[in-house]
Amino acid sequence: MGDSAYSFSLTTFSRTGKLLQIEYALNAVANGRTSLGICTKDGVVIATDKKLSSPLVDVNHVHKVELVTPSCGFVYSGVGPDYRVLVIRKARKSSQSYSLQYGEVQPVSQLVKETASVMQEYTQSGGVRPFGISLLVAGADGDGTPRLYQVDPSGAYFGWKATAIGKNYVNAKSFLEKRYQEDMELEDAIHTALLTLREGFEGEMNCDNIEVGVVRGGKFSVLTPAQIQDYLDEAN
């Protein structure tokens, strides 16, 4: 009996030691739009392709980069509704609970652990399926240190200097490996992020079909379309 006999069960390992539903969730991530992040000594940048299937969609109502706490933001690749549930119902509630209990903003490392734990619970519970998304989390710890994390559908999380997820992630990672420097500053990282996105972008890249978020001075913010256009103009 091959692995296919286990492909519909989330809680049963296949004979080769795999949980196939998690692998299928990773396939959903790999089919999603490209997202990437770069962590520097003075901040973090996360950027994503949000190209839409129809020009009739109002881009002002489509958001992939979300502020979760004043010092932390998420971006995803994969299934959009899963992201909405994870960010709004889980991550934001966790951060608000921490803030009410301790009177301070939740450090990004603790928020990542909480979010990864939620995703892991959905890999060993009956009647549910894994989240079909991977997250890039940009934020600052309690001491103000910039951090970049990746969280996968399995609940595994990793700290990164620079990484990419979604469609074309292999080429994007290769590009980042060539461009990344230990002493690069945030402004350089923003330009590098845009150059990396452009490498595998289908069509013309503009301020309406990408989103960029930055951690600067310990605070997270989403760049406005006008700010993104200024960076694109500089790159050109």
Side-chain angles (χ1 to χ4, degrees):
M1 186 166 57
D3 281 356
S4 61
Y6 302 90
S7 63
F8 293 104
S9 174
L10 172 62
T11 56
T12 305
F13 284 98
S14 73
R15 299 176 76 172
T16 56
K18 298 177 181 177
L19 290 172
L20 294 178
Q21 285 296 314
I22 294 177
E23 293 196 3
Y24 298 157
L26 288 169
N27 289 341
V29 173
N31 290 330
R33 296 288 183 182
T34 305
S35 301
L36 57 91
I38 304 173
C39 184
T40 70
K41 60 184 182 181
D42 59 342
V44 188
V45 56
I46 50 177
T48 186
D49 169 359
K50 69 165 190 177
K51 190 176 180 183
L52 303 172
S53 57
S54 170
L56 300 178
V57 178
D58 186 348
V59 295
N60 295 319
H61 291 85
V62 179
H63 303 290
K64 289 185 66 179
V65 178
E66 294 280 359
L67 182 143
V68 180
T69 73
S71 64
C72 171
F74 286 9
V75 68
Y76 79 98
S77 288
V79 182
D82 287 14
Y83 176 64
R84 187 174 65 245
V85 168
L86 191 63
V87 169
I88 295 175
R89 290 192 185 175
K90 306 294 184 180
R92 282 181 176 159
K93 283 185 178 180
S94 169
S95 64
Q96 286 298 309
S97 176
Y98 184 97
S99 180
L100 286 170
Q101 185 170 357
Y102 297 105
E104 62 184 26
V105 175
Q106 187 175 24
V108 65
S109 56
Q110 293 192 26
L111 180 60
V112 166
K113 288 179 183 178
E114 292 282 347
T115 305
S117 294
V118 170
M119 296 178 80
Q120 194 279 330
E121 286 174 14
Y122 278 71
T123 69
Q124 59 176 161
S125 302
V128 298
R129 64 164 175 79
F131 286 93
I133 56 172
S134 284
L135 299 173
L136 293 182
V137 183
D141 263 338
D143 59 358
T145 305
R147 302 288 186 194
L148 173 67
Y149 292 94
Q150 177 181 334
V151 188
D152 284 338
S154 64
Y157 65 93
F158 317 90
W160 289 87
K161 297 175 182 178
T163 190
I165 55 176
K167 191 182 297 183
N168 201 43
Y169 77 97
V170 174
N171 292 334
K173 274 189 176 181
S174 297
F175 190 86
L176 287 171
E177 287 172 2
K178 295 172 184 175
R179 292 271 183 162
Y180 181 81
Q181 295 177 339
E182 293 283 349
D183 60 347
M184 75 189 311
E185 297 182 350
L186 182 59
E187 290 297 310
D188 297 327
I190 294 172
H191 287 106
T192 301
L194 295 177
L195 286 171
T196 307
L197 269 185
R198 180 173 281 163
E199 279 294 300
F201 202 86
E202 299 172 2
E204 182 184 355
M205 195 168 81
N206 58 52
C207 62
D208 293 323
N209 55 25
I210 62 171
E211 272 189 288
V212 180
V214 297
V215 178
R216 198 192 309 261
K219 300 294 182 183
F220 181 83
S221 62
V222 181
L223 298 188
T224 65
Q227 289 174 315
I228 294 173
Q229 191 60 53
D230 286 343
Y231 281 110
L232 290 173
D233 292 341
E234 288 178 18
N236 291 331

